[in-house]
Each structure stands twice: as structure tokens, then as C-alpha cells.
């Protein structure tokens, strides 16, 4: 059946509710209290809206894996291919963390422009910055230029990790939203494995670090072209419609066309009805008035900000950046003296992350978010104390360090890995989602950059054993936060989450 947008009926903003008061008219009840129309969709049509944003997540993961190997290559007197290889631990910390400083800049930019330009254009911009950053980094003649390239790449990273979860959450069918957003994390891990793999192959090549960063250059091109082809988020279009930012009828018809493309031919007959429901729900919870910054710290949005910000904060300060970026270095100190041995075991860690993320994808919409968080973080506590005890008591048994790292990685990928990004993208009310996620991403990359930068000097000052035990204590605190603060959102639409969980 060929879709004709002009023949589809759609309610106007006035029919949905009274925009002056934010309430519904006397003849219209909030549809979140009613049973929704069946959400028909084609699996094939649902793949591209996930795939192209997920390439941005792939580039994030690749950067982690490649950088962990590149820092070994770039500091090698014989293999770096440069004259400025004699870098201090602070310099290495800057290399690994400056992309996250760039991500902080990207998050600040996203806070101000994301709701104006939309999720799609934000991802197109991110793809361009990824491309420029990768080229500059791979061809850097001196240390400052390398840092500039890493920062530019990081700005693209910040925009991507802000817009990608929003775009996927707002375009994915409710029944598979959890799996789609978990697949985004799968893409990050897949990129990480790719980075570790390419790094292990090039670690013995002269100037191998340049090739590690150059290998990924085609990916942002594909991402940018794909995002140019995809439609804008229908929920973003409808939000602008009811807030009067553009021609109302044109935006609503664009939302119907977008929904038909995103759901495939199975949704042609029901697209207008689904748009009507979204419009009614948005107006019933007061989306017809433009949000102010002050609203971020009031009522429902403050609770959402506490949940999302708390999850991403604990995700980072429980040691995740240190384990990922410094896995080869940790393994070298654990007895795997050759760089190739350490990077190959890092590939094993990446493959385990891939497998455990796959497990999370299968069970997340069945078991729910809270059980996976509580179980996974409990395992992380055990693994961090085990890793700390290795450095303090068992430093002649490298198998203890490897087992602790494997346990940590597996438990992280069942819990904080996919679920923090999932809940961040679905917990915020729509009119404040862009700015709310910007703040959460800012917290994420700010703490990531701080932990990544601080790990080498703190390891020298305190010792790795004390440091990992400290991460374990923080992990215990995160269990209390999850148990008392984080709600269950399994199976709920984005509008129902706002109505029932906040």
C-alpha cells in the first residue's frame, strides 16, 4: 500500500487540549489512561533507525580499544615512529582523557542547540566531527596536534552519545526499545573489540598508532550518509508542533510520514492514530509550553535528573574507564610483560563484553532493569575487591588479576553498561529530554575524563590495590542508590514512564 499523507486524519493541537492551561478539554481524557492502538512495525524497517546512530556508538567503542593500544605504541622508543615518544604518565593521561574533554564540550553544545536542530542533524554533525578528528589524530606531526585531533573527535563523541540514545528511544517500537538501546551498547562493545583487535595487529608496526586511528575513517562517512537518509524523530516533530515552532499541519504530516518510514508498511493504516495518541499524551502532561532551564531542577525532571545522573556517575566512578583504557597496562603489571600478550588478553575482555551485552539484550525486556542492575553491580563489587587484593596479597598469581578483570567486565555489561544509557534515554519528560540528557552526558564524560586522567598518577601514588578497593567501596554505595531510587520501566511507553515512574 502506498502512503498518502494527505488522506490521513490527525487531531489538531486544539483538539488535544487547552494549550493555555496545559490541560485537556472536557470531552478529551488523557490517552495514557486508555489502551493504546496496536503498535505495528516491520523488523526490517526498524533496523536502519538503530543502525546508523549505533555507528556513532561503534566509533566511541573503537576509540577506547584503539587508544588503550595506541598509548603503548606511541610511547615505544623503537615503534612510535616519532621523536616525542618519551611521554610522562600525565601526558598519557591527557591522550586518553582529552577525547572526553571534547565530549564535555559536545555535551555543552548539545544542551543549547539539540532541541532546535533535532536529533538527526545533531548526529550528522557528529559524523563530520568524527571524520575530521580521526584524520587529524592519525596524521598529527607533534603532540599538541594529536591532542587537538582527539578533542575534535571527542566533541563528535559527546554529540553522538547525547543524540543517538534519544533518536533510538524516540523511533523504536515500545516492545523492542530496551533491546534496541542495549544493541547500541553492543555496538560500543563491538567497536571496542575492533579497536583491541586492530591494536593488537598493529602494536608491533612502526607508527602503528597512526594506523589504529586511520583505520576507522570510512565509518563516519557511512554514518553521515545514513543519517541524511533517515527521517527526523516523529516525537521531536510533534513536540515542535504543539509548541508552535513551525507550521503545525506541516510538522504533523511530517511526523506521520516519518512514523511510516520508521515502522514500514505494517504501520501505514495506523500511523495517524499513533500520532494522535502521542499528541494527546504530550498535551496531557503539559508539553504545549516551552520548557525553561529552571524546570530541569523541579518536580518530575529533578527526579529524572537524579536517576539518570546518578546512574552515569556511578557507572564511571566505579572504575570502568580505568579498566577499559588501561587493561593492557594492568595486564602488563600482572605479569604479561609483552605488549602483544597484554593486548591479546584485552581482546578476550572485549569478546566477553560482547557476549555479556548479548545476554543483556536477550533478557532486559524480560527480567527488567532493576534486577540486572542489582545482580550485575553485586558482581562488580566482588571483582573489584578481588582485583585490589591481587595487587596487595596475590601479586605472584596473574590468574587472579585476569579472573577479576573478566568478572568485572561481565558484570558491568549486564548492568551499568547497557542500562545506564537505556534509562537515561527513556526517563526524561520529552520537552526537557534534550537538555536533561545533555546534563547526564556531561556528568558521564566529566567523571570519565577525571577518572581516566587521574588513574595513572593515583596508581603511582596509592598503588593499584588501594585504588581498586576504593572503586569497590563506591560500587557498594551504588547498590543502595539503585535499590532505593531507580524505578522499573520495563514494557512502558515513553509517555507512560513519565506518568507512572516520576
Amino acid at each position: 500500500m502506498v502512503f498518502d499523507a494527505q488522506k490521513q486524519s490527525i487531531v489538531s493541537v486544539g483538539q488535544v487540549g487547552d494549550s493555555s492551561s496545559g490541560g485537556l478539554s472536557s470531552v478529551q481524557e488523557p490517552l495514557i489512561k486508555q489502551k493504546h492502538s496496536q503498535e505495528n512495525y516491520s523488523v526490517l524497517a526498524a533496523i536502519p533507525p538503530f543502525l546508523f546512530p549505533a555507528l556513532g556508538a561503534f566509533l566511541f567503542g573503537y576509540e577506547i580499544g584503539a587508544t588503550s593500544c595506541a598509548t603503548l605504541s606511541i610511547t615505544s622508543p623503537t615503534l612510535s615512529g616519532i621523536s616525542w615518544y618519551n611521554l610522562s604518565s600525565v601526558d598519557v593521561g591527557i591522550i586518553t582523557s582529552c577525547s572526553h574533554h571534547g565530549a564535555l564540550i559536545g555535551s555543552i553544545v548539545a544542551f543549547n542547540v539539540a532541541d532546535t536542530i533535532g536529533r538527526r542533524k545533531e548526529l550528522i554533525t557528529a559524523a563530520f566531527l568524527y571524520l575530521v578528528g580521526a584524520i587529524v589524530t592519525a596524521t598529527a606531526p607533534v603532540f599538541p596536534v594529536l591532542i587537538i585531533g582527539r578533542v575534535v573527535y571527542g566533541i563528535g563523541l559527546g554529540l553522538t552519545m547525547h543524540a543517538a540514545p534519544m533518536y533510538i528511544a524516540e523511533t523504536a517500537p515500545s516492545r523492542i526499545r530496551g533491546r534496541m538501546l542495549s544493541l547500541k551498547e553492543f555496538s560500543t562493545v563491538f567497536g571496542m573489540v575492533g579497536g583491541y583487535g586492530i591494536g593488537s595487529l598493529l602494536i608491533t608496526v612502526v607508527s602503528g598508532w597512526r594506523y589504529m586511528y586511520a583505520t576507522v575513517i570510512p565509518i563516519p562517512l557511512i554514518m553521515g550518509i545514513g543519517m541524511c537518509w533517515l527521517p527526523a524523530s516523529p516525537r521531536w516533530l510533534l513536540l515542535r508542533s504543539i509548541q508552535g515552532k513551525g507550521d503545525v499541519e506541516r510538522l504533523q504530516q511530517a511526523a506521520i510520514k516519518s512514523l511510516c518510514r520508521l515502522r514500514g508498511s505494517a504501520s501505514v493504516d495506523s500511523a495517524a492514530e499513533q500520532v494522535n495518541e502521542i499528541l494527546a499524551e504530550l498535551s496531557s502532561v503539559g508539553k504545549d509550553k516551552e520548557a525553561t532551564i529552571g524546570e530541569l531542577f523541579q518536580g518530575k525532571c529533578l527526579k529524572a535528573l537524579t536517576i539518570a545522573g546518578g546512574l552515569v556517575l556511578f557507572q564511571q566512578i566505579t572504575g570502568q574507564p580505568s579498566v577499559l583504557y588501561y587493561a593492557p597496562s594492568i595486564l602488563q603489571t600482572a605479569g604479561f610483560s609483552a605488549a602483544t600478550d597484554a593486548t591479546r588478553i584485552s581482546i578476550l575482555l572485549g569478546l566477553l563484553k560482547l557476549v555479556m551485552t548479548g545476554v543483556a539484550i536477550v533478557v532486559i525486556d524480560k527480567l527488567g532493569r532493576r534486577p540486572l542492575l542489582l545482580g550485575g553491580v553485586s558482581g562488580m563489587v566482588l571483582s573489584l575487591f578481588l582485583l585490589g587484593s591481587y595487587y596487595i596479597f596475590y601479586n605472584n598469581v596473574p590468574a587472579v588479576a585476569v579472573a577479576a578483570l573478566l568478572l568485572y567486565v561481565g558484570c558491568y555489561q549486564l548492568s551499568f553498561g547497557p542500562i545506564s544509557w537505556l534509562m537515561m534515554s527513556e526517563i526524561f519528560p520529552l520537552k526537557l529530554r534534550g537538555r536533561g540528557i545533555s546534563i547526564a552526558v556531561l556528568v558521564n564524560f566529566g567523571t570519565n575524563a577525571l577518572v581516566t586522567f587521574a588513574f595513572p598518577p593515583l596508581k603511582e601514588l596509592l598503588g593499584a590495590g588501594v585504588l581498586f578497593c576504593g572503586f569497590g567501596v563506591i560500587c557498594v554505595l551504588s547498590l543502595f542508590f539503585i535499590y532505593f531510587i531507580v524505578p522499573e520501566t520495563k514494557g512502558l511507553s515513553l509517555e507512560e514512564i513519565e506518568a507512572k515512574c516520576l
Side-chain angles (χ1 to χ4, degrees):
M1 179 181 292
V2 178
F3 171 67
D4 183 355
Q6 302 302 321
K7 293 182 181 179
Q8 296 279 5
S9 62
I10 184 167
V11 298
S12 67
V13 178
Q15 288 175 295
V16 174
D18 180 1
S19 62
S20 63
S21 64
L24 293 176
S25 65
S26 59
V27 296
Q28 181 80 49
E29 291 295 323
L31 287 175
I32 46 178
K33 295 180 180 179
Q34 300 175 3
K35 185 177 180 180
H36 288 247
S37 62
Q38 186 175 358
E39 194 176 22
N40 298 319
Y41 65 92
S42 162
V43 174
L44 288 178
I47 291 175
F50 151 76
L51 180 62
F52 293 111
L55 287 178
F58 174 90
L59 291 167
F60 175 32
Y62 184 89
E63 187 265 341
I64 294 173
T67 299
S68 70
C69 299
T71 52
L72 297 177
S73 172
I74 205 169
T75 54
S76 170
T78 57
L79 297 175
S80 63
I82 52 177
S83 59
W84 37 276
Y85 63 83
N86 189 23
L87 302 174
S88 67
S89 61
V90 173
D91 292 331
V92 173
I94 291 173
I95 292 174
T96 53
S97 66
C98 64
S99 63
H100 296 289
H101 294 115
L104 291 176
I105 298 172
S107 301
I108 295 170
V109 171
F111 182 88
N112 293 296
V113 305
D115 285 334
T116 301
I117 67 174
R119 293 66 161 125
R120 173 176 164 270
K121 290 182 180 178
E122 189 178 349
L123 286 166
I124 293 170
T125 305
F128 174 75
L129 292 170
Y130 271 141
L131 178 63
V132 173
I135 292 173
V136 172
T137 301
T139 58
V142 292
F143 184 74
V145 175
L146 172 68
I147 299 306
I148 291 171
R150 300 274 294 140
V151 170
V152 172
Y153 192 97
I155 296 173
L157 197 161
L159 293 177
T160 293
M161 301 314 285
H162 172 264
M166 276 199 297
Y167 188 86
I168 295 171
E170 292 178 3
T171 58
S174 298
R175 283 178 286 175
I176 60 171
R177 187 180 65 246
R179 290 182 183 177
M180 287 297 191
L181 284 161
S182 298
L183 276 169
K184 182 196 74 68
E185 175 67 13
F186 186 87
S187 300
T188 302
V189 177
F190 187 65
M192 201 179 304
V193 174
Y196 284 138
I198 296 297
S200 70
L201 293 174
L202 299 173
I203 195 72
T204 56
V205 175
V206 176
S207 296
W209 62 274
R210 294 188 186 276
Y211 301 116
M212 294 177 199
Y213 288 121
T215 300
V216 81
I217 288 174
I219 305 298
L221 287 172
I222 298 171
M223 175 186 169
I225 293 169
M227 290 310 305
C228 287
W229 174 74
L230 284 172
S233 160
R235 280 184 169 85
W236 176 76
L237 291 169
L238 293 174
L239 178 63
R240 295 186 67 79
S241 169
I242 64 175
Q243 291 180 343
K245 296 180 178 180
D247 182 84
V248 172
E249 183 66 22
R250 183 184 63 81
L251 287 168
Q252 292 176 357
Q253 294 296 339
I256 294 177
K257 291 180 179 179
S258 173
L259 199 59
C260 286
R261 284 190 61 189
L262 294 166
R263 298 288 188 271
S265 58
S267 70
V268 168
D269 295 331
S270 61
E273 185 180 356
Q274 290 180 46
V275 166
N276 286 349
E277 291 178 354
I278 295 171
L279 276 170
E281 292 172 348
L282 293 180
S283 287
S284 73
V285 291
K287 296 297 184 298
D288 53 321
K289 297 180 180 178
E290 187 172 358
T292 62
I293 295 177
E295 288 183 67
L296 276 169
F297 306 99
Q298 299 173 8
K300 292 181 177 181
C301 209
L302 177 60
K303 184 175 181 180
L305 193 60
T306 302
I307 294 167
L311 283 173
V312 296
L313 175 68
F314 281 117
Q315 181 193 52
Q316 299 303 318
I317 63 175
T318 50
Q320 182 265 157
S322 303
V323 172
L324 295 182
Y325 278 103
Y326 296 102
S329 301
I330 292 170
L331 289 166
Q332 278 187 299
T333 62
F336 298 91
S337 56
T340 51
D341 291 338
T343 53
R344 283 168 185 165
I345 294 180
S346 296
I347 296 174
L348 177 61
L349 290 175
L351 289 173
L352 177 64
K353 285 175 70 70
L354 207 59
V355 171
M356 298 308 292
T357 305
V359 173
I361 291 168
V362 172
V363 303
I364 196 165
D365 283 328
K366 296 178 181 177
L367 297 181
R369 284 63 161 155
R370 278 172 55 86
L372 288 178
L373 278 171
L374 292 169
V377 174
S378 297
M380 287 171 61
V381 171
L382 176 62
S383 65
L384 285 167
F385 281 118
L386 184 61
L387 189 58
S389 67
Y390 160 76
Y391 283 102
I392 298 172
F393 303 111
Y394 306 111
N395 52 18
N396 59 343
V397 188
V400 173
V402 175
L405 281 174
L406 291 175
L407 179 61
Y408 178 90
V409 166
C411 291
Y412 175 85
Q413 287 309 130
L414 280 176
S415 53
F416 279 140
I419 297 175
S420 297
W421 291 102
L422 166 59
M423 296 204 70
M424 181 201 303
S425 63
E426 65 185 10
I427 200 70
F428 285 101
L430 178 58
K431 71 175 179 179
L432 285 163
R433 186 172 296 147
R435 288 181 170 178
I437 292 180
S438 294
I439 293 177
V441 171
L442 193 67
V443 171
N444 179 280
F445 286 115
T447 51
N448 190 305
L450 178 63
V451 172
T452 303
F453 175 77
F455 183 80
L458 282 177
K459 190 173 74 167
E460 289 183 7
L461 179 65
L462 302 175
V466 173
L467 203 54
F468 282 116
C469 287
F471 287 142
V473 172
I474 297 172
C475 226
V476 172
L477 296 177
S478 73
L479 282 172
F480 287 97
F481 174 81
I482 294 165
Y483 186 81
F484 290 107
I485 303 296
V486 177
E488 181 57 73
T489 59
K490 178 183 70 173
L492 300 177
S493 71
L494 295 177
E495 291 73 33
E496 287 171 326
I497 290 171
E498 179 177 354
K500 297 177 180 180
C501 298
L502 297 177

